[in-house]
Amino acid sequence: MTPHQLTLAEAAALIAARKLSPVELLEDCLARIAAVQPRLDAFIRMNVAEAEAAAREAEAEITRHGPRSPLHGIPVGLKDIIDLKGHPTTCHSKQRLDHMADADAAVVARLRATGAVFPGKLATHEFAIGGPAFDLPFPPARNPWNTAHHPGGSSSGSGAAVAARMLPAALGTDTGGSVRHPASHCGIVGLKPTYELVPRAGVFPLAFSLDHVGPLTRTVRDAALMLNVMADGGQDYTRGLTQGVRGLRIGYVRHFHEKDQPASAEMAAALDEAARLLEAEGAMVTDVTLPSLDEFAAVNRTILAAESSVVHEEWLKTRPQDYAAVTRRRLLPGMFLPAVDYMHAARRRTQLLARVNEVFGQVDLLLTASSMEEAALIDDEPEVERTYPRQARTPFNVTGQPAITLMSGLSAKGLPLSLQLAAPAHADALLLRAAHGYERAAPWKDYAPPC
Amino acid sequence: MTDEEIAALVKAAGLEDAAARYPADVRAALAQLARQRGQLPRSGDPALEPTPAFVAPRA
């Protein structure tokens, strides 16, 4: 196995044992990036010289004193709405081509302090709200399982890069599912932690009360290692990871994908199979009922429209031509939204949270769909528009509760299928434990895209 | 929605330039908003307060 194929945990173990140097790991990742970037467009800017200097520094320090943390010398990609000191944060937009970050985002500073290395900035849907677009300064990222398909978004480059083994880990952001969507379509792990568990300072906002920063990795253990550094509180999220799902009560929200937004037969069958697998591993799986996906979506959409308007008002007024058409179309409705609608959505949000918490009084975790079908063709705009909202991720942006997506199979076309687990607020460790239990029992962890 | 009504809303939002350049996008935005407003649940309870959902107790 060459270094770029290692998971974060595997690379960290070899670095700690002095069997792999951070320089060797970075150089192999850079070679992998050079080989597949022309097909995937996952990166929009490289940061090679600075990353190589950081890797050399890490190597010297590890040789003298051992690693500072499991992330010491590990290359981590950054979605380009996250500030990296001395580099532009373009948000994949013409509006921000001349921007320069004068400090690291808080989460980047935490990663840097533990020794992570940053080889480049990754593609995103413009301002984390558009869709795959071909009228921007940078091309859209593509799906490594089949480059004719989109990789999900908005953390599109993060999903593509990690799945294609360009990097062991990347950061994304999630306002309506934007970490979990690319993870779902790229067959990797996407974690949206509890709201405010990971600081958002230095991350370009989309909607303040819905925005989350989360890791995209190839394994649940790697997500836990990333969260150890990214989160407030100093908790070790790898502790208890291997306890499995025995004895856990899991509520299966079947109506999300059977009634509210009917999923493809393949996706539905994979979810049922996952429920059976969790039961076979010792979990107690029962059907539960939540408010409909339409209600969660209406609340998320209204809050997102109102909060994003305050960020984009000036540009929409003075430079509307500097957005991609799809971004402009998604942002404009918020400019006409009555304040009373925002308050109605906020009031309904309170009731939705109360209802989900009531269900969490009966079960420890929820099992739901993530996407309702596999990724559409990237240049089939009507199909992209139809399928993007068909998902069950927004409920947990509305409630702020942690949620994680994992691969649950492959479709007949060879594209990843997915599932989602969710937990009560601040039960991120329990969520990771259950996800690890599923991952360990399922056969998908070592599946890799053909690119 | 009439052209006059659209013009009034555009002026109130300060989007005259966007409406001049992209009239179809502005019309689509207003139509989309009208559809979506109908889907938003509205409570008649005057005492219901919008507690921020993210102020959740730590487990």
Side-chain angles (χ1 to χ4, degrees):
Chain A
M1 187 181 281
T2 56
H4 74 264
Q5 294 172 308
L6 299 167
T7 66
L8 192 165
E10 290 166 346
L14 290 175
I15 288 172
R18 315 290 205 277
K19 292 179 178 169
L20 175 68
S21 88
V23 172
E24 196 183 344
L25 174 61
L26 177 67
E27 292 304 328
D28 198 52
C29 287
L30 291 174
R32 174 67 177 163
I33 291 166
V36 296
Q37 167 71 8
R39 297 197 296 280
L40 296 181
D41 289 322
F43 281 85
I44 64 172
R45 197 174 324 97
M46 296 305 296
N47 178 30
V48 173
E50 207 174 286
E52 286 178 333
R56 284 194 298 272
E57 199 175 305
E59 183 174 289
E61 188 182 334
I62 290 166
T63 302
R64 286 195 307 272
H65 308 294
R68 276 183 242 166
S69 83
L71 291 188
H72 203 167
I74 299 291
V76 176
L78 303 175
K79 180 180 184 178
D80 197 28
I81 69 166
I82 300 171
D83 284 350
L84 179 67
K85 185 180 179 179
H87 296 269
T89 307
T90 68
C91 302
H92 211 121
S93 179
K94 200 173 174 185
Q95 305 279 11
R96 298 258 299 183
L97 286 177
D98 57 355
H99 172 269
M100 187 61 69
D102 55 12
D104 284 338
V107 66
V108 173
R110 287 181 181 183
L111 291 166
R112 195 192 288 279
T114 57
V117 172
F118 308 107
K121 301 296 282 291
L122 293 158
T124 168
H125 295 344
E126 188 179 22
F127 288 109
I129 192 177
F134 296 88
D135 54 349
L136 286 169
F138 314 101
R142 289 174 178 270
N143 193 316
W145 291 84
N146 183 334
T147 55
H149 292 255
H150 70 71
S154 62
S155 308
S156 49
S158 305
V162 172
R165 278 59 175 167
M166 295 161 118
L167 297 161
L171 296 189
T173 60
D174 193 316
T175 306
S178 288
V179 162
R180 292 162 289 158
H181 188 203
S184 297
H185 287 314
C186 293
I188 57 172
V189 175
L191 171 67
K192 182 198 80 65
T194 299
Y195 182 80
E196 292 285 53
L197 185 63
V198 175
R200 290 176 289 112
V203 179
F204 195 89
L206 175 54
F208 314 104
S209 74
L210 299 166
D211 289 345
H212 301 67
V213 183
L216 293 98
T217 55
R218 279 175 33 218
T219 69
V220 175
R221 178 172 294 280
D222 288 358
L225 287 168
M226 289 288 288
L227 193 61
N228 279 355
V229 174
M230 295 166 65
D232 291 333
Q235 188 171 344
D236 180 2
Y237 291 94
T238 64
R239 187 175 298 165
L241 204 59
T242 57
Q243 287 176 11
V245 297
R246 182 162 298 283
L248 293 179
R249 300 167 302 165
I250 298 179
Y252 187 14
V253 194
R254 198 186 283 276
H255 67 86
F256 275 0
H257 69 274
E258 288 189 352
K259 178 168 170 258
D260 300 351
Q261 291 177 7
S264 71
E266 285 179 310
M267 193 68 82
L271 282 161
D272 284 347
E273 183 54 35
R276 277 192 290 274
L277 187 61
L278 288 164
E279 273 189 322
E281 289 294 304
M284 291 165 285
V285 181
T286 54
D287 286 3
V288 295
T289 303
L290 295 179
S292 77
L293 278 179
D294 286 348
E295 276 203 61
F296 284 109
V299 168
N300 184 277
R301 194 166 50 224
T302 304
I303 292 171
L304 195 156
E307 295 182 3
S308 61
S309 292
V310 80
V311 176
H312 289 276
E313 178 185 17
E314 193 58 30
W315 284 328
L316 285 168
K317 286 179 175 174
T318 61
R319 296 172 60 185
Q321 71 280 12
D322 288 340
Y323 290 105
V326 63
T327 315
R328 192 171 52 244
R329 287 198 297 268
R330 290 193 183 178
L331 288 170
L332 275 172
M335 291 292 286
F336 299 107
L337 187 81
V340 69
D341 281 22
Y342 182 53
M343 295 315 299
H344 273 299
R347 298 207 306 175
R348 184 60 184 151
R349 182 184 206 176
T350 301
Q351 294 176 315
L352 291 172
L353 175 63
R355 176 60 192 142
V356 180
N357 278 340
E358 200 179 304
V359 171
F360 274 131
Q362 301 151 20
V363 297
D364 302 304
L365 297 148
L366 297 172
L367 167 66
T368 81
S370 174
S371 289
M372 298 305 170
E373 50 254 310
E374 62 194 6
L377 291 167
I378 194 168
D379 56 359
D380 185 349
E381 195 177 339
E383 187 63 1
V384 170
E385 286 290 314
R386 185 186 75 81
T387 53
Y388 256 51
R390 285 177 36 74
Q391 49 106 335
R393 295 176 287 267
T394 52
F396 307 106
N397 294 91
V398 170
T399 66
Q401 292 155 332
I404 191 167
T405 54
L406 298 101
M407 188 171 177
S408 66
L410 273 181
S411 73
K413 289 183 190 165
L415 292 166
L417 304 170
S418 57
L419 61 79
Q420 176 174 239
L421 293 165
H426 301 291
D428 302 69
L430 178 68
L431 178 71
L432 288 161
R433 171 189 154 191
H436 186 268
Y438 171 79
E439 177 187 66
R440 193 172 53 185
W444 319 117
K445 192 175 81 170
D446 297 323
Y447 275 51
C451 74
Chain B
M1 196 173 279
T2 66
D3 288 348
E4 289 74 23
E5 287 169 332
I6 291 172
L9 289 169
V10 163
K11 188 174 181 189
L15 289 172
E16 292 93 334
D17 183 36
R21 289 171 184 262
Y22 307 105
D25 285 359
V26 168
R27 278 186 177 276
L30 287 165
Q32 182 183 328
L33 191 63
R35 277 196 311 277
Q36 291 176 349
R37 290 192 73 196
Q39 294 163 1
L40 181 67
R42 292 164 192 273
S43 170
D45 176 3
L48 177 59
E49 291 190 16
T51 308
F54 44 88
V55 183
R58 285 186 178 263

